[in-house]
Amino acid sequence: MHTRCALVGMPGSGKSTVGRQLARRLEVPFLDLDHRLEQVLGTSIRAYFEQHGEDSFRERESALLAEVAAQPGDMVLSTGGGVVLRPANRAALRDFGHVLYLRATPDEIFKRVRHDKARPLLQVANPLERLRELHAQRDPLYREAAHFTIETGRPTVSTLVSMIVMQLEMAA
């Protein structure tokens, strides 16, 4: 099965974890866009945000996404939570391959990431409220970009991977 798919969703929705397992199951390369960005930037995303601001970060993110999307071959791509904010990125993702929205509620995400200090957008007085705001803003954009929405609330990672594989097989 020829497979090019990208995972989108809120920070903490499981894109990297599920993406790694999905790529392993499909026997295709896995690329985490945030990790690649940190390599390119030579610093953490959080540090880059603090030094250069979100606009500069989004520019660099868009350029890297366009570069990755232009590469041929099978791949599972995990994206950053804010990649869908730019219309050009949503279009690039849809052109790249199947886009899967890993959907989780702000409360579920908060339980997963409340102790994670590496997420720049959550370093605020009330991270749960911030997650709710981000979700309200981004959920329609994830839905616009995605071919499929996968609810990540209860299932284990291996169950989610199996659900995604079934979606991809039916789409093929």
Side-chain angles (χ1 to χ4, degrees), residues 31-45:
L31 179 73
D32 186 311
L33 197 66
D34 278 352
H35 289 153
R36 178 66 60 88
L37 257 172
E38 288 182 336
Q39 292 170 340
V40 169
L41 299 173
T43 187
S44 71
I45 289 172

Side-chain angles (χ1 to χ4, degrees), residues 24 96 106 110 138 170:
R24 207 172 284 137
F96 171 80
F110 182 70
R138 295 177 180 179
M170 287 191 304

Side-chain angles (χ1 to χ4, degrees), residues 7 15-20 23 28-32 75-78:
L7 304 177
K15 299 179 299 290
S16 297
T17 304
V18 171
R20 240 181 243 99
V28 301
F30 171 71
L31 179 73
D32 186 311
M75 181 189 318
V76 172
L77 175 66
S78 168

Side-chain angles (χ1 to χ4, degrees), residues 8 84-91 93-94 99 101 137-149:
V8 299
V84 296
L85 295 172
R86 293 185 170 201
N89 290 353
R90 294 192 301 275
L93 286 166
R94 286 188 70 85
V99 181
Y101 171 22
Q137 174 196 28
R138 295 177 180 179
D139 183 66
L141 303 176
Y142 295 133
R143 289 176 186 279
E144 178 187 323
H147 296 96
F148 307 105
T149 299

Side-chain angles (χ1 to χ4, degrees), residues 12-73:
S13 62
K15 299 179 299 290
S16 297
T17 304
V18 171
R20 240 181 243 99
Q21 295 292 328
L22 179 62
R24 207 172 284 137
R25 172 94 57 95
L26 297 172
E27 299 177 345
V28 301
F30 171 71
L31 179 73
D32 186 311
L33 197 66
D34 278 352
H35 289 153
R36 178 66 60 88
L37 257 172
E38 288 182 336
Q39 292 170 340
V40 169
L41 299 173
T43 187
S44 71
I45 289 172
R46 182 179 181 178
Y48 192 89
F49 251 73
E50 289 169 359
Q51 290 178 324
H52 305 282
E54 186 173 357
D55 285 344
S56 176
F57 172 77
R58 296 294 173 206
E59 282 295 321
R60 300 291 297 268
E61 179 181 54
S62 292
L64 183 60
L65 175 62
E67 183 183 309
V68 168
Q71 295 172 6

